[in-house]
Amino acid sequence: MKEINRKVNKVVLITGATSGIGLACARKFAENGDRVILTGRNESRLSDIEKDLEGKGSKVLTLAFDVRDREKAAEYIEKLPAEWQEIDVLVNNAGLALGLEPEFEGDLDDWETMIDTNIKGLLTMTRLVVPGMVQRNRGHIINVGSVAGDAAYAGGNVYCATKAAVKALSDGLRIDVANTAIRVTNLKPGLVETNFSNIRFRGDNDRAANVYKGIKPLTGDDIADVAVYAANAPEHVQIAEVLILATHQASGSVIVRK
């Protein structure tokens, strides 16, 4: 096994980086002096973010693809420029929730989209990036799970199942790389005010706003702060799992609104 090579500035790959937690992670890691590879489906949005971060002195590479497209993901990762190939941190953030119907009334297409993105997309990126980390004997995988992975809530059914899978996959990967210097972190946010609810309710802004009514929710920056902290902990410290909730949220289903 190779010696661990300490690097002041890391190469950080973030999926789903065009909004929400992913965008906040892009900004926070860039502010930390790291070089960031940002992926997402919206090429125009990626370009705008790239210009913004580069204008602030950061080094950025953008890759426009959907993590559900395994062939396209492999093509982009395999053709990374030499200076970007040694990825130090993989932030598996791409994910979404669709609908809030009872399981017996759910939309099969919605289920497929959530499973393909939240689980299979994460697995694709892990399979493409982690072998290089193992070869170099350094690296960190940060999977963005959810409090929803701890216990189901009404209408959450399949989404909750996908986030429970993220926990299981994070724990399994941590076991698989325990003989290396690679670390695995599962971040489990609670109520975070992003475009998450707008997507879930297909652009129904009023319904989305009600999700955060009466409580001060977390922000994408709050979660990104934890990601950056975990990635920069001493090499012998592995932040395995972090549950991050708003002060008046006790669990996925217990929220006190005022």
mmCIF file of all heavy atoms in Angstrom, residues 9-51:
data_model
loop_
_atom_site.group_PDB
_atom_site.id
_atom_site.type_symbol
_atom_site.label_atom_id
_atom_site.label_comp_id
_atom_site.label_asym_id
_atom_site.label_seq_id
_atom_site.Cartn_x
_atom_site.Cartn_y
_atom_site.Cartn_z
ATOM 1 N N ASN A 9 -4.297 21.340 -0.851
ATOM 2 C CA ASN A 9 -5.475 21.611 -1.679
ATOM 3 C C ASN A 9 -5.952 20.318 -2.310
ATOM 4 O O ASN A 9 -5.212 19.649 -3.001
ATOM 5 C CB ASN A 9 -5.130 22.642 -2.757
ATOM 6 C CG ASN A 9 -4.647 23.952 -2.170
ATOM 7 O OD1 ASN A 9 -3.512 24.356 -2.389
ATOM 8 N ND2 ASN A 9 -5.501 24.606 -1.426
ATOM 9 N N LYS A 10 -7.195 19.992 -2.068
ATOM 10 C CA LYS A 10 -7.747 18.744 -2.562
ATOM 11 C C LYS A 10 -8.475 18.956 -3.895
ATOM 12 O O LYS A 10 -8.879 20.062 -4.228
ATOM 13 C CB LYS A 10 -8.729 18.166 -1.546
ATOM 14 C CG LYS A 10 -8.144 17.898 -0.166
ATOM 15 C CD LYS A 10 -9.226 17.360 0.751
ATOM 16 C CE LYS A 10 -8.685 17.038 2.125
ATOM 17 N NZ LYS A 10 -8.308 18.243 2.892
ATOM 18 N N VAL A 11 -8.662 17.856 -4.604
ATOM 19 C CA VAL A 11 -9.570 17.832 -5.748
ATOM 20 C C VAL A 11 -10.872 17.223 -5.245
ATOM 21 O O VAL A 11 -10.888 16.084 -4.766
ATOM 22 C CB VAL A 11 -9.002 17.003 -6.917
ATOM 23 C CG1 VAL A 11 -10.042 16.896 -8.037
ATOM 24 C CG2 VAL A 11 -7.726 17.639 -7.450
ATOM 25 N N VAL A 12 -11.944 17.983 -5.334
ATOM 26 C CA VAL A 12 -13.230 17.576 -4.778
ATOM 27 C C VAL A 12 -14.254 17.475 -5.904
ATOM 28 O O VAL A 12 -14.513 18.451 -6.602
ATOM 29 C CB VAL A 12 -13.723 18.590 -3.718
ATOM 30 C CG1 VAL A 12 -15.041 18.137 -3.108
ATOM 31 C CG2 VAL A 12 -12.672 18.796 -2.634
ATOM 32 N N LEU A 13 -14.857 16.302 -6.076
ATOM 33 C CA LEU A 13 -15.896 16.103 -7.077
ATOM 34 C C LEU A 13 -17.256 16.094 -6.372
ATOM 35 O O LEU A 13 -17.466 15.316 -5.445
ATOM 36 C CB LEU A 13 -15.688 14.802 -7.842
ATOM 37 C CG LEU A 13 -16.548 14.591 -9.092
ATOM 38 C CD1 LEU A 13 -15.881 13.593 -10.037
ATOM 39 C CD2 LEU A 13 -17.959 14.103 -8.768
ATOM 40 N N ILE A 14 -18.145 16.956 -6.836
ATOM 41 C CA ILE A 14 -19.464 17.101 -6.222
ATOM 42 C C ILE A 14 -20.538 16.850 -7.272
ATOM 43 O O ILE A 14 -20.583 17.533 -8.303
ATOM 44 C CB ILE A 14 -19.636 18.520 -5.635
ATOM 45 C CG1 ILE A 14 -18.523 18.824 -4.634
ATOM 46 C CG2 ILE A 14 -21.018 18.671 -4.968
ATOM 47 C CD1 ILE A 14 -18.391 20.302 -4.295
ATOM 48 N N THR A 15 -21.405 15.891 -7.023
ATOM 49 C CA THR A 15 -22.511 15.638 -7.943
ATOM 50 C C THR A 15 -23.723 16.469 -7.531
ATOM 51 O O THR A 15 -23.876 16.839 -6.373
ATOM 52 C CB THR A 15 -22.895 14.148 -7.971
ATOM 53 O OG1 THR A 15 -23.432 13.760 -6.700
ATOM 54 C CG2 THR A 15 -21.688 13.281 -8.305
ATOM 55 N N GLY A 16 -24.561 16.764 -8.508
ATOM 56 C CA GLY A 16 -25.742 17.581 -8.220
ATOM 57 C C GLY A 16 -25.365 18.950 -7.694
ATOM 58 O O GLY A 16 -25.950 19.455 -6.729
ATOM 59 N N ALA A 17 -24.395 19.582 -8.360
ATOM 60 C CA ALA A 17 -23.782 20.803 -7.828
ATOM 61 C C ALA A 17 -24.431 22.093 -8.300
ATOM 62 O O ALA A 17 -23.921 23.177 -8.019
ATOM 63 C CB ALA A 17 -22.299 20.824 -8.193
ATOM 64 N N THR A 18 -25.555 22.020 -9.005
ATOM 65 C CA THR A 18 -26.124 23.243 -9.572
ATOM 66 C C THR A 18 -27.086 23.955 -8.627
ATOM 67 O O THR A 18 -27.529 25.065 -8.931
ATOM 68 C CB THR A 18 -26.867 22.947 -10.890
ATOM 69 O OG1 THR A 18 -27.884 21.970 -10.651
ATOM 70 C CG2 THR A 18 -25.896 22.442 -11.946
ATOM 71 N N SER A 19 -27.428 23.344 -7.503
ATOM 72 C CA SER A 19 -28.365 23.993 -6.579
ATOM 73 C C SER A 19 -28.262 23.353 -5.205
ATOM 74 O O SER A 19 -27.597 22.316 -5.022
ATOM 75 C CB SER A 19 -29.807 23.890 -7.093
ATOM 76 O OG SER A 19 -30.207 22.536 -7.145
ATOM 77 N N GLY A 20 -28.924 23.975 -4.228
ATOM 78 C CA GLY A 20 -29.078 23.382 -2.906
ATOM 79 C C GLY A 20 -27.779 23.040 -2.211
ATOM 80 O O GLY A 20 -26.801 23.796 -2.234
ATOM 81 N N ILE A 21 -27.772 21.875 -1.584
ATOM 82 C CA ILE A 21 -26.608 21.434 -0.817
ATOM 83 C C ILE A 21 -25.386 21.277 -1.715
ATOM 84 O O ILE A 21 -24.267 21.621 -1.324
ATOM 85 C CB ILE A 21 -26.925 20.111 -0.078
ATOM 86 C CG1 ILE A 21 -27.995 20.348 1.000
ATOM 87 C CG2 ILE A 21 -25.658 19.523 0.540
ATOM 88 C CD1 ILE A 21 -28.522 19.073 1.637
ATOM 89 N N GLY A 22 -25.573 20.769 -2.927
ATOM 90 C CA GLY A 22 -24.446 20.586 -3.837
ATOM 91 C C GLY A 22 -23.776 21.889 -4.189
ATOM 92 O O GLY A 22 -22.542 21.993 -4.191
ATOM 93 N N LEU A 23 -24.567 22.914 -4.479
ATOM 94 C CA LEU A 23 -24.005 24.230 -4.795
ATOM 95 C C LEU A 23 -23.317 24.824 -3.576
ATOM 96 O O LEU A 23 -22.228 25.405 -3.685
ATOM 97 C CB LEU A 23 -25.110 25.164 -5.295
ATOM 98 C CG LEU A 23 -24.704 26.602 -5.601
ATOM 99 C CD1 LEU A 23 -23.566 26.659 -6.608
ATOM 100 C CD2 LEU A 23 -25.910 27.394 -6.112
ATOM 101 N N ALA A 24 -23.919 24.672 -2.417
ATOM 102 C CA ALA A 24 -23.294 25.175 -1.189
ATOM 103 C C ALA A 24 -21.959 24.482 -0.942
ATOM 104 O O ALA A 24 -20.969 25.127 -0.551
ATOM 105 C CB ALA A 24 -24.234 24.966 -0.003
ATOM 106 N N CYS A 25 -21.895 23.172 -1.195
ATOM 107 C CA CYS A 25 -20.626 22.448 -1.049
ATOM 108 C C CYS A 25 -19.592 22.962 -2.041
ATOM 109 O O CYS A 25 -18.408 23.114 -1.701
ATOM 110 C CB CYS A 25 -20.848 20.946 -1.246
ATOM 111 S SG CYS A 25 -21.628 20.099 0.143
ATOM 112 N N ALA A 26 -20.027 23.223 -3.278
ATOM 113 C CA ALA A 26 -19.102 23.753 -4.284
ATOM 114 C C ALA A 26 -18.466 25.046 -3.792
ATOM 115 O O ALA A 26 -17.243 25.245 -3.884
ATOM 116 C CB ALA A 26 -19.842 23.984 -5.595
ATOM 117 N N ARG A 27 -19.275 25.926 -3.266
ATOM 118 C CA ARG A 27 -18.775 27.218 -2.799
ATOM 119 C C ARG A 27 -17.879 27.072 -1.572
ATOM 120 O O ARG A 27 -16.837 27.717 -1.467
ATOM 121 C CB ARG A 27 -19.954 28.137 -2.505
ATOM 122 C CG ARG A 27 -20.678 28.607 -3.776
ATOM 123 C CD ARG A 27 -21.957 29.347 -3.445
ATOM 124 N NE ARG A 27 -22.569 29.930 -4.653
ATOM 125 C CZ ARG A 27 -23.832 30.300 -4.754
ATOM 126 N NH1 ARG A 27 -24.664 30.137 -3.714
ATOM 127 N NH2 ARG A 27 -24.284 30.810 -5.870
ATOM 128 N N LYS A 28 -18.293 26.225 -0.638
ATOM 129 C CA LYS A 28 -17.524 26.083 0.605
ATOM 130 C C LYS A 28 -16.176 25.420 0.363
ATOM 131 O O LYS A 28 -15.151 25.835 0.921
ATOM 132 C CB LYS A 28 -18.339 25.283 1.625
ATOM 133 C CG LYS A 28 -19.566 26.000 2.171
ATOM 134 C CD LYS A 28 -19.196 27.101 3.154
ATOM 135 C CE LYS A 28 -20.439 27.738 3.750
ATOM 136 N NZ LYS A 28 -20.098 28.770 4.764
ATOM 137 N N PHE A 29 -16.152 24.376 -0.461
ATOM 138 C CA PHE A 29 -14.868 23.729 -0.755
ATOM 139 C C PHE A 29 -13.973 24.669 -1.561
ATOM 140 O O PHE A 29 -12.750 24.703 -1.354
ATOM 141 C CB PHE A 29 -15.080 22.417 -1.495
ATOM 142 C CG PHE A 29 -15.386 21.247 -0.595
ATOM 143 C CD1 PHE A 29 -16.677 20.748 -0.483
ATOM 144 C CD2 PHE A 29 -14.385 20.655 0.151
ATOM 145 C CE1 PHE A 29 -16.966 19.678 0.345
ATOM 146 C CE2 PHE A 29 -14.649 19.575 0.994
ATOM 147 C CZ PHE A 29 -15.950 19.090 1.095
ATOM 148 N N ALA A 30 -14.557 25.430 -2.475
ATOM 149 C CA ALA A 30 -13.777 26.400 -3.246
ATOM 150 C C ALA A 30 -13.184 27.461 -2.327
ATOM 151 O O ALA A 30 -12.010 27.834 -2.454
ATOM 152 C CB ALA A 30 -14.648 27.037 -4.324
ATOM 153 N N GLU A 31 -13.996 27.948 -1.386
ATOM 154 C CA GLU A 31 -13.507 28.932 -0.419
ATOM 155 C C GLU A 31 -12.383 28.364 0.434
ATOM 156 O O GLU A 31 -11.502 29.091 0.898
ATOM 157 C CB GLU A 31 -14.653 29.383 0.496
ATOM 158 C CG GLU A 31 -15.685 30.270 -0.183
ATOM 159 C CD GLU A 31 -16.897 30.521 0.704
ATOM 160 O OE1 GLU A 31 -16.870 30.095 1.889
ATOM 161 O OE2 GLU A 31 -17.870 31.128 0.218
ATOM 162 N N ASN A 32 -12.406 27.052 0.621
ATOM 163 C CA ASN A 32 -11.378 26.379 1.410
ATOM 164 C C ASN A 32 -10.064 26.236 0.642
ATOM 165 O O ASN A 32 -9.066 25.769 1.184
ATOM 166 C CB ASN A 32 -11.893 24.990 1.831
ATOM 167 C CG ASN A 32 -11.028 24.322 2.860
ATOM 168 O OD1 ASN A 32 -10.788 24.870 3.936
ATOM 169 N ND2 ASN A 32 -10.552 23.122 2.548
ATOM 170 N N GLY A 33 -10.071 26.621 -0.627
ATOM 171 C CA GLY A 33 -8.870 26.531 -1.454
ATOM 172 C C GLY A 33 -8.766 25.263 -2.259
ATOM 173 O O GLY A 33 -7.749 25.002 -2.908
ATOM 174 N N ASP A 34 -9.816 24.450 -2.233
ATOM 175 C CA ASP A 34 -9.799 23.196 -2.991
ATOM 176 C C ASP A 34 -10.189 23.429 -4.447
ATOM 177 O O ASP A 34 -10.902 24.385 -4.768
ATOM 178 C CB ASP A 34 -10.764 22.195 -2.358
ATOM 179 C CG ASP A 34 -10.375 21.840 -0.934
ATOM 180 O OD1 ASP A 34 -9.176 21.600 -0.687
ATOM 181 O OD2 ASP A 34 -11.267 21.814 -0.052
ATOM 182 N N ARG A 35 -9.736 22.546 -5.311
ATOM 183 C CA ARG A 35 -10.168 22.552 -6.706
ATOM 184 C C ARG A 35 -11.434 21.711 -6.804
ATOM 185 O O ARG A 35 -11.482 20.612 -6.246
ATOM 186 C CB ARG A 35 -9.075 21.981 -7.613
ATOM 187 C CG ARG A 35 -7.842 22.875 -7.702
ATOM 188 C CD ARG A 35 -6.829 22.307 -8.672
ATOM 189 N NE ARG A 35 -6.170 21.123 -8.154
ATOM 190 C CZ ARG A 35 -5.718 20.121 -8.902
ATOM 191 N NH1 ARG A 35 -5.880 20.150 -10.217
ATOM 192 N NH2 ARG A 35 -5.103 19.099 -8.350
ATOM 193 N N VAL A 36 -12.436 22.204 -7.493
ATOM 194 C CA VAL A 36 -13.724 21.516 -7.492
ATOM 195 C C VAL A 36 -14.135 21.078 -8.897
ATOM 196 O O VAL A 36 -14.022 21.828 -9.862
ATOM 197 C CB VAL A 36 -14.832 22.387 -6.864
ATOM 198 C CG1 VAL A 36 -14.573 22.574 -5.371
ATOM 199 C CG2 VAL A 36 -14.949 23.746 -7.545
ATOM 200 N N ILE A 37 -14.582 19.829 -8.976
ATOM 201 C CA ILE A 37 -15.200 19.291 -10.185
ATOM 202 C C ILE A 37 -16.694 19.238 -9.895
ATOM 203 O O ILE A 37 -17.130 18.577 -8.944
ATOM 204 C CB ILE A 37 -14.686 17.871 -10.509
ATOM 205 C CG1 ILE A 37 -13.162 17.862 -10.656
ATOM 206 C CG2 ILE A 37 -15.353 17.345 -11.778
ATOM 207 C CD1 ILE A 37 -12.568 16.463 -10.800
ATOM 208 N N LEU A 38 -17.469 19.947 -10.705
ATOM 209 C CA LEU A 38 -18.895 20.062 -10.453
ATOM 210 C C LEU A 38 -19.678 19.354 -11.547
ATOM 211 O O LEU A 38 -19.468 19.601 -12.734
ATOM 212 C CB LEU A 38 -19.302 21.538 -10.396
ATOM 213 C CG LEU A 38 -18.468 22.424 -9.465
ATOM 214 C CD1 LEU A 38 -18.976 23.855 -9.511
ATOM 215 C CD2 LEU A 38 -18.487 21.880 -8.040
ATOM 216 N N THR A 39 -20.593 18.479 -11.154
ATOM 217 C CA THR A 39 -21.418 17.785 -12.132
ATOM 218 C C THR A 39 -22.885 18.140 -11.924
ATOM 219 O O THR A 39 -23.313 18.487 -10.832
ATOM 220 C CB THR A 39 -21.259 16.252 -12.051
ATOM 221 O OG1 THR A 39 -22.119 15.719 -11.035
ATOM 222 C CG2 THR A 39 -19.824 15.860 -11.762
ATOM 223 N N GLY A 40 -23.636 18.043 -12.995
ATOM 224 C CA GLY A 40 -25.062 18.332 -12.962
ATOM 225 C C GLY A 40 -25.632 18.191 -14.353
ATOM 226 O O GLY A 40 -24.898 18.055 -15.336
ATOM 227 N N ARG A 41 -26.942 18.247 -14.449
ATOM 228 C CA ARG A 41 -27.594 18.073 -15.749
ATOM 229 C C ARG A 41 -27.705 19.382 -16.529
ATOM 230 O O ARG A 41 -27.811 19.365 -17.749
ATOM 231 C CB ARG A 41 -28.994 17.482 -15.548
ATOM 232 C CG ARG A 41 -28.979 16.061 -15.021
ATOM 233 C CD ARG A 41 -30.385 15.558 -14.743
ATOM 234 N NE ARG A 41 -31.042 16.341 -13.702
ATOM 235 C CZ ARG A 41 -32.325 16.251 -13.397
ATOM 236 N NH1 ARG A 41 -33.114 15.433 -14.078
ATOM 237 N NH2 ARG A 41 -32.846 16.977 -12.424
ATOM 238 N N ASN A 42 -27.686 20.514 -15.827
ATOM 239 C CA ASN A 42 -27.922 21.815 -16.451
ATOM 240 C C ASN A 42 -26.585 22.462 -16.830
ATOM 241 O O ASN A 42 -25.909 23.068 -16.000
ATOM 242 C CB ASN A 42 -28.698 22.718 -15.492
ATOM 243 C CG ASN A 42 -29.181 23.995 -16.138
ATOM 244 O OD1 ASN A 42 -28.538 24.541 -17.038
ATOM 245 N ND2 ASN A 42 -30.317 24.498 -15.689
ATOM 246 N N GLU A 43 -26.224 22.318 -18.100
ATOM 247 C CA GLU A 43 -24.916 22.813 -18.565
ATOM 248 C C GLU A 43 -24.811 24.325 -18.436
ATOM 249 O O GLU A 43 -23.762 24.862 -18.059
ATOM 250 C CB GLU A 43 -24.693 22.384 -20.010
ATOM 251 C CG GLU A 43 -23.298 22.694 -20.536
ATOM 252 C CD GLU A 43 -23.024 22.040 -21.874
ATOM 253 O OE1 GLU A 43 -23.939 21.406 -22.436
ATOM 254 O OE2 GLU A 43 -21.880 22.150 -22.354
ATOM 255 N N SER A 44 -25.870 25.040 -18.743
ATOM 256 C CA SER A 44 -25.860 26.496 -18.638
ATOM 257 C C SER A 44 -25.649 26.945 -17.194
ATOM 258 O O SER A 44 -24.868 27.867 -16.921
ATOM 259 C CB SER A 44 -27.171 27.067 -19.170
ATOM 260 O OG SER A 44 -27.229 28.462 -18.991
ATOM 261 N N ARG A 45 -26.327 26.293 -16.284
ATOM 262 C CA ARG A 45 -26.182 26.630 -14.868
ATOM 263 C C ARG A 45 -24.772 26.327 -14.376
ATOM 264 O O ARG A 45 -24.176 27.105 -13.631
ATOM 265 C CB ARG A 45 -27.221 25.841 -14.057
ATOM 266 C CG ARG A 45 -27.177 26.102 -12.559
ATOM 267 C CD ARG A 45 -27.676 27.476 -12.203
ATOM 268 N NE ARG A 45 -27.654 27.668 -10.762
ATOM 269 C CZ ARG A 45 -27.162 28.732 -10.154
ATOM 270 N NH1 ARG A 45 -26.650 29.730 -10.869
ATOM 271 N NH2 ARG A 45 -27.185 28.827 -8.853
ATOM 272 N N LEU A 46 -24.232 25.206 -14.807
ATOM 273 C CA LEU A 46 -22.856 24.862 -14.444
ATOM 274 C C LEU A 46 -21.878 25.928 -14.937
ATOM 275 O O LEU A 46 -20.945 26.308 -14.225
ATOM 276 C CB LEU A 46 -22.474 23.507 -15.038
ATOM 277 C CG LEU A 46 -23.011 22.258 -14.344
ATOM 278 C CD1 LEU A 46 -22.708 21.017 -15.188
ATOM 279 C CD2 LEU A 46 -22.412 22.103 -12.944
ATOM 280 N N SER A 47 -22.096 26.411 -16.148
ATOM 281 C CA SER A 47 -21.229 27.439 -16.711
ATOM 282 C C SER A 47 -21.273 28.714 -15.878
ATOM 283 O O SER A 47 -20.224 29.337 -15.621
ATOM 284 C CB SER A 47 -21.638 27.728 -18.156
ATOM 285 O OG SER A 47 -20.829 28.735 -18.718
ATOM 286 N N ASP A 48 -22.457 29.108 -15.449
ATOM 287 C CA ASP A 48 -22.588 30.310 -14.622
ATOM 288 C C ASP A 48 -21.867 30.149 -13.294
ATOM 289 O O ASP A 48 -21.203 31.076 -12.812
ATOM 290 C CB ASP A 48 -24.069 30.607 -14.363
ATOM 291 C CG ASP A 48 -24.806 31.086 -15.603
ATOM 292 O OD1 ASP A 48 -24.130 31.506 -16.571
ATOM 293 O OD2 ASP A 48 -26.056 31.025 -15.614
ATOM 294 N N ILE A 49 -21.999 28.978 -12.686
ATOM 295 C CA ILE A 49 -21.330 28.724 -11.402
ATOM 296 C C ILE A 49 -19.819 28.723 -11.585
ATOM 297 O O ILE A 49 -19.072 29.271 -10.763
ATOM 298 C CB ILE A 49 -21.812 27.379 -10.817
ATOM 299 C CG1 ILE A 49 -23.308 27.453 -10.500
ATOM 300 C CG2 ILE A 49 -21.024 27.020 -9.568
ATOM 301 C CD1 ILE A 49 -23.946 26.105 -10.215
ATOM 302 N N GLU A 50 -19.373 28.118 -12.671
ATOM 303 C CA GLU A 50 -17.938 28.084 -12.965
ATOM 304 C C GLU A 50 -17.381 29.508 -13.084
ATOM 305 O O GLU A 50 -16.339 29.826 -12.495
ATOM 306 C CB GLU A 50 -17.693 27.311 -14.256
ATOM 307 C CG GLU A 50 -16.224 27.217 -14.657
ATOM 308 C CD GLU A 50 -16.040 26.413 -15.922
ATOM 309 O OE1 GLU A 50 -17.012 26.257 -16.682
ATOM 310 O OE2 GLU A 50 -14.917 25.952 -16.166
ATOM 311 N N LYS A 51 -18.061 30.357 -13.817
ATOM 312 C CA LYS A 51 -17.608 31.740 -13.979
ATOM 313 C C LYS A 51 -17.572 32.476 -12.636
ATOM 314 O O LYS A 51 -16.637 33.227 -12.339
ATOM 315 C CB LYS A 51 -18.523 32.471 -14.954
ATOM 316 C CG LYS A 51 -18.389 32.008 -16.395
ATOM 317 C CD LYS A 51 -19.407 32.706 -17.294
ATOM 318 C CE LYS A 51 -19.339 32.172 -18.719
ATOM 319 N NZ LYS A 51 -20.384 32.769 -19.588
#
